[in-house]
Amino acid sequence: MLKRLILGTLALACAMYATSEVNVYSTRHYDTDKKLFKMFEEKTGIKVNVVKAKASALINRIENEGKKSPADILITADAARLYKAKSEGLFQSIKSDILIKNIPAELRDEDNQWFGLTKRSRVAVYKIGSGMEKELSTYEDLANPKFKGTIMVRSSNNEYNQSLLAAIIAHHGEEYALKWAKGIVANMAMEPKGNDRYQVKSVANGIGKIAIANTYYVGKMVDNKDKSQAEAVKKVKIFFPKFENGGTHINISGGGVVKTAPNKENAIKFLEYMASAEAQELFAQGNFEYPVLKGVKTSDLVSSWGSFEEDKISINTLGKNNAQAVKIFDLAGWK
Ligand code: FE
């Protein structure tokens, strides 16, 4: 009996040892990722276990779990959250020729603690036939009183908005940023509510005239099973605003290896796969994001929106200015 128990325990221990896995904490909430993880599993035999939550919750969780945290990878959908995770000492530096080769230097951390895996731009969406394309120009001009009662944008606790305001701070300083945020609040069609898709739907339905949204959401609404999204998106078009002295606002979704990662080698393999041509293509085709790997094309739909010049402020600035952005949103009364 005892012998059997010992043997049984041994077999279990061996089985556990043989199970190769990687634990991914991710804030990304897109169906393509499920497919990607599956492709990675098939390719490597490494099982992907996913914990999904908001960035702040995942960061807290890793901190609370401490040395025993099962987390190998933290993925966020915003640059400022990667910056925050690094400043709180959650990541470790990674040596990977593949990541360095595939990801441009400006889209990864200088100590190689986090890596941008996709790009997204935050743009203006207007209703076809509204004439708004003649009115729209820069991000700065969205605060112009001529747009009073027209702007649909989500709440200021959203990370995409915080990074947009962080970029405004980088371009013009805090004082200007406060004036700008107040201008946007004064121009809102209604009090902030809902997600990016809600803003686009509202504009299509005649509530407000300009929605501020990330590009890929427009792509995800096309042919959506939810008819209200698929119908709404037919009525709108994307406009790429620029900063007065720059290009169109870019944010990244990316990830890093957690300092205490129990499966570090698998975690590096995971990130390398995410930066591979196969994965980059799926990010582009399946989720309408802009790939970071050179040579991988955007989807036909995304290409049809036209090209734009990317803003050149460093991705780190979005993280550095995040706290000020949050403060300014509060002062401006942006709910
Ligand atoms: Fe998103």
Side-chain angles (χ1 to χ4, degrees), residues 4 29 33 36 85 127 134 161 176 179 189 202 206 213 218 223-224 242 244 265 276 278 308 313 318 331:
R4 212 188 246 174
H29 49 95
D33 291 33
L36 262 175
K127 192 169 181 177
K134 282 174 240 138
N161 281 343
Y176 180 98
K179 249 174 50 195
S202 298
V218 174
D223 294 330
N224 199 292
K242 280 181 172 187
E244 276 165 8
E265 293 311 311
S276 72
E278 187 174 276
F308 59 91
I313 65 154
L318 305 182
L331 290 171

Side-chain angles (χ1 to χ4, degrees), residues 4-61:
R4 212 188 246 174
L5 192 71
I6 291 169
L7 278 173
T9 313
L10 230 115
L12 186 70
C14 285
M16 275 171 69
Y17 183 74
T19 314
S20 195
E21 59 180 10
V22 64
N23 300 317
V24 178
Y25 285 20
S26 177
T27 65
R28 284 173 58 95
H29 49 95
Y30 319 118
D31 289 341
T32 3
D33 291 33
K34 268 188 238 155
K35 214 173 179 180
L36 262 175
F37 298 163
K38 207 152 181 229
M39 282 158 65
F40 174 77
E41 285 179 339
E42 278 163 12
K43 199 154 210 143
T44 61
I46 299 167
K47 189 171 182 311
V48 181
N49 306 312
V50 187
V51 175
K52 269 205 281 190
K54 287 200 164 171
S56 51
L58 291 179
I59 288 174
N60 285 342
R61 182 163 165 170

